[in-house]
Amino acid sequence: MAGGSFGPTGVAKERAEQYQGKVTAYVIIACLVAAIGGSIFGYDIGISGGVTSMDEFLEEFFHSVYEKKKHAHEIASPITRNYGRRASIVCGGISFLIGAALNAGSVNLAMLLAGRIMLGVGIGFGNQAVPLYLSEVAPTHLRGGLNMMFQLATTLGIFTANMVNYGTQKLKPWGWRLSLGLAAFPALLMALGGFFLPETPNSLIERGLIERGRRVLEKLRGTENVNAELQDMVDASELANSIKHPFRNILKKQHRPQLVMAIFMPTFQILTGINSILFYAPVLFQTMGFGGNASLYSSALTGAVLVLSTLISIALVDKLGRRALLISGGIQMIICQVIVSVILGVKFGDNQELSKGYSIIVVIFVCLFVVAFGWSWGPLGWTIPSEIFALEIRSAGQSITVAVNLLFTFIIAQAFLGLLCAFKFGIFLFFAGWITVMTIFVYFLLPETKGVPIEEMTLLWSKHWFWKKVLPATNIEAENNII
C-alpha cells in the first residue's frame, strides 16, 4: 500500500524515533492504580489453595473452582472495545466485590457457586482490561516494566492470601469466611481506582474523541509535542473502526502470528506447572513431611519469592528484552523440575516421608523454580499478548488470551491430583517437558518486542524469518514501502 498511512494490519509507518515525552508522575500513578486489578487475581489464586485445605470449609462445601471463569471474556471484550478500558476495570472490581461478599456469607452450595461465578467475571474483566490499559498508557521504552505492575500486584495478592490463610486457619470455625471476605478489599480499591483513572488515548481516539485523546496523551507524556505518537493512534483507529467483527477479523491470515501468540503464550504459562504448585502448595509441602502450619508457612514463602523475582523482571525487561528473560527462565525451571523429580523419585518411596534435609532441598529448588517463573513466564505471559495486537483486534486478542489462560487454569487444577497419583514424582518431568517445548517455541517463533511502539507492533511480524512466510503478500509489500 504505497503512500497509504496504514497497511492491511495497522500502522505501516515507523515513527518511533519521533516520539517525544518523559516519564511523568501522572503515568506512574495511573499504572499503579490500574495494576491493582492484578491483586484480585493473585488473591483468588492464593486463597483457594489455603481455604480448601481447611477442614471447616471442606466439611461444609466441596471444591468447585474456576469452572465458570472461562466464559467471562465474552462479556468483557465488547465492553472494553466500546466503552473503554476504565469501564471494564470498574465492572471487574464491582463483580469481584459482590463475589467476595457472597462467598464470605455462604450458607449453602448455591450461594458459594454464585460467589465463585461473580469472582470469575471480575477476574475476566480485570485480566482483559488491565494489561491492555498498562500497555497503552506506558511510554514505549518502559512499557515492559510498567506492564509488569499487573504481575507484581498478582504476586502480592498471592503472598497476602497465603499470609491471611496462615492466620485465619486458627480462627475456628469461621476463619475461612474471613479469608474469602477479605478479597473485597482489593476489589474495592480496583473499582474506586477505576473511576479516577484517565482513559487511554488509544481508546478515546478509537471512539472518535481525538482532541480529548490528545490532551490525555500530552498529560501522560509531559509534553505538547505528541504529534507522531498521536498520528500512529489515529491511523490505527481509522482501520479499527472499519472492523465490525474483531473476533472474526482476528482469524484472518494477516493476524495469524498474533492469534498463535494469544493462544500459546497463556497455554504455556499454565503448563509451566506454576498454578499447580501455588494451588496445592499446602498439600505438596504437607505430603513431603511438613506439618499443617509448616505447609502454609512454606507456601507463604513461595509467595514472597514470587514477589521478589517479579521485581527482578521489572528492572531488566526493558534492558535485556523479553526473549532473554523467557529463555533463561525456561532453562532454570527445567533444571529445577528435573532435580526435584530425581530427589522425590530416589528418596520418597511409597508410604514414606522425606527426611528433613531432603525436604529443605526440595523447598529450595521449588523456590528457585518460582524465581525463574517470576522473572519470565509469570509477567511476560501477560505482557507480550497485551502489546502485540493491532488496535482493531486488541480487545478480541486479549480476551482470547484471558479465556485460554483461565481454561487451562481450570483444566490443570482439575487434572493435577489425578496426574500426581498417576505420575507421582514424574509430574515434575511432565511439566519440565512442556517448559522445554515452550523455550524452543520462544527461541524460534517469538520476535523481540522491546522498544517497539505498540501501534507499530504489526510491522514486527513481516520482518521475522518465519512469520513473513505466513503473512499475505500485501503485508510484506506494505512493509517494503515504508522505507
Side-chain angles (χ1 to χ4, degrees):
M1 292 183 60
S5 62
F6 53 84
T9 58
V11 174
K13 288 188 177 180
E14 293 179 309
R15 303 185 180 93
E17 70 281 356
Q18 302 174 35
Y19 283 17
Q20 300 293 319
K22 56 186 178 181
V23 180
T24 63
Y26 189 67
V27 74
I28 296 295
I29 292 172
C31 288
L32 287 173
V33 173
I36 292 173
S39 65
I40 66 173
F41 186 39
Y43 190 88
D44 189 63
I45 290 175
I47 217 69
S48 295
V51 166
T52 54
S53 71
M54 297 181 187
D55 291 339
E56 294 77 15
F57 179 83
L58 295 175
E59 287 173 2
E60 197 159 346
F61 305 107
F62 64 83
H63 183 50
S64 180
V65 187
Y66 288 108
E67 187 169 3
K68 302 296 183 181
K69 287 184 179 179
K70 58 182 180 290
H71 299 299
H73 73 286
E74 297 171 4
I75 303 171
S77 177
I79 290 180
T80 300
R81 177 179 169 91
N82 297 325
Y83 300 101
R85 286 42 167 159
R86 286 177 63 238
S88 282
I89 292 173
V90 172
C91 287
I94 293 174
S95 297
F96 203 89
L97 185 62
I98 295 171
L102 287 172
N103 273 357
S106 292
V107 294
N108 53 49
L109 185 59
M111 197 170 175
L112 179 70
L113 290 178
R116 295 304 300 171
I117 291 171
M118 292 304 295
L119 292 177
V121 171
I123 288 174
F125 272 101
N127 289 7
Q128 205 270 351
V130 172
L132 285 186
Y133 184 94
L134 295 172
S135 286
E136 291 183 348
V137 165
T140 299
H141 66 290
L142 291 178
R143 186 180 62 242
L146 291 178
N147 189 287
M148 285 180 181
M149 293 295 181
F150 175 80
Q151 176 68 10
L152 180 62
T154 300
T155 59
L156 286 171
I158 293 171
F159 175 71
T160 301
N162 284 330
M163 298 307 294
V164 167
N165 282 336
Y166 183 68
T168 57
Q169 64 163 338
K170 302 173 184 178
L171 303 176
K172 303 179 184 295
W174 50 270
W176 63 270
R177 293 187 184 275
L178 181 59
S179 289
L180 295 175
L182 286 175
F185 180 69
L188 183 62
L189 290 179
M190 178 177 168
L192 292 178
F195 282 109
F196 295 101
L197 287 174
E199 184 55 89
T200 70
N202 313 67
S203 179
L204 291 170
I205 293 169
E206 185 181 13
R207 288 179 281 150
L209 305 173
I210 297 178
E211 285 306 312
R212 187 176 167 190
R214 171 186 279 277
R215 290 195 297 271
V216 172
L217 185 60
E218 289 175 352
K219 197 169 183 180
L220 289 170
R221 301 293 180 256
T223 178
E224 294 183 356
N225 189 8
V226 295
N227 292 333
E229 188 170 2
L230 182 70
Q231 189 60 50
D232 272 351
M233 294 179 185
V234 171
D235 288 352
S237 70
E238 289 178 9
L239 181 57
N241 288 330
S242 69
I243 303 299
K244 302 303 181 184
H245 305 286
F247 278 101
R248 188 184 306 168
N249 192 59
I250 200 173
L251 298 176
K252 293 182 179 178
K253 194 172 183 179
Q254 62 260 38
H255 298 303
R256 192 65 47 80
Q258 296 97 317
L259 180 61
V260 168
M261 296 302 161
I263 294 172
F264 281 95
M265 290 299 292
T267 299
F268 286 151
Q269 185 189 53
I270 303 305
L271 288 175
T272 59
I274 187 66
N275 279 7
S276 300
I277 289 177
L278 296 179
F279 279 152
Y280 297 103
V283 177
L284 286 173
F285 284 115
Q286 200 162 7
T287 301
M288 290 186 295
F290 291 85
N293 290 345
S295 69
L296 281 173
Y297 177 78
S298 299
S299 62
L301 174 63
T302 61
V305 168
L306 195 56
V307 172
L308 295 176
S309 60
T310 304
L311 292 173
I312 295 174
S313 190
I314 290 174
L316 297 179
V317 66
D318 289 311
K319 296 178 181 178
L320 300 181
R322 283 64 161 156
R323 284 168 47 85
L325 294 182
L326 286 171
I327 293 171
S328 62
I331 293 172
Q332 182 168 321
M333 284 191 287
I334 293 169
I335 294 172
C336 291
Q337 294 271 35
V338 171
I339 290 176
V340 169
S341 180
V342 170
I343 292 175
L344 295 181
V346 173
K347 296 295 182 179
F348 195 16
D350 293 336
N351 301 318
Q352 295 182 20
E353 289 187 353
L354 283 179
S355 65
K356 184 176 181 180
Y358 279 108
S359 294
I360 292 173
I361 293 174
V362 169
V363 170
I364 289 173
F365 277 98
V366 167
C367 287
L368 288 175
F369 168 85
V370 172
V371 166
F373 176 85
W375 85 51
S376 59
W377 280 93
L380 290 171
W382 293 107
T383 297
I384 290 173
S386 73
E387 67 184 2
I388 62 173
F389 301 113
L391 184 61
E392 66 267 23
I393 59 168
R394 193 168 296 159
S395 294
Q398 185 66 14
S399 70
I400 292 173
T401 299
V402 174
V404 172
N405 182 284
L406 294 179
L407 174 62
F408 274 86
T409 296
F410 168 70
I411 292 172
I412 294 298
Q414 298 302 312
F416 178 75
L417 290 181
L419 291 172
L420 184 60
C421 292
F423 293 159
K424 297 182 173 61
F425 64 89
I427 188 69
F428 294 98
L429 295 179
F430 171 79
F431 288 122
W434 280 111
I435 298 171
T436 302
V437 171
M438 65 185 72
T439 302
I440 295 172
F441 175 89
V442 168
Y443 183 82
F444 286 105
L445 297 179
L446 181 68
E448 180 56 66
T449 58
K450 179 187 74 171
V452 180
I454 189 170
E455 301 302 343
E456 296 180 4
M457 197 67 69
T458 52
L459 300 174
L460 205 60
W461 309 105
S462 56
K463 299 176 182 178
H464 189 268
W465 73 272
F466 175 79
W467 294 116
K468 68 182 180 181
K469 301 175 184 178
V470 175
L471 293 172
T474 51
N475 289 67
I476 308 303
E477 291 170 4
E479 162 65 20
N480 292 334
N481 287 327
I482 293 171
I483 300 175

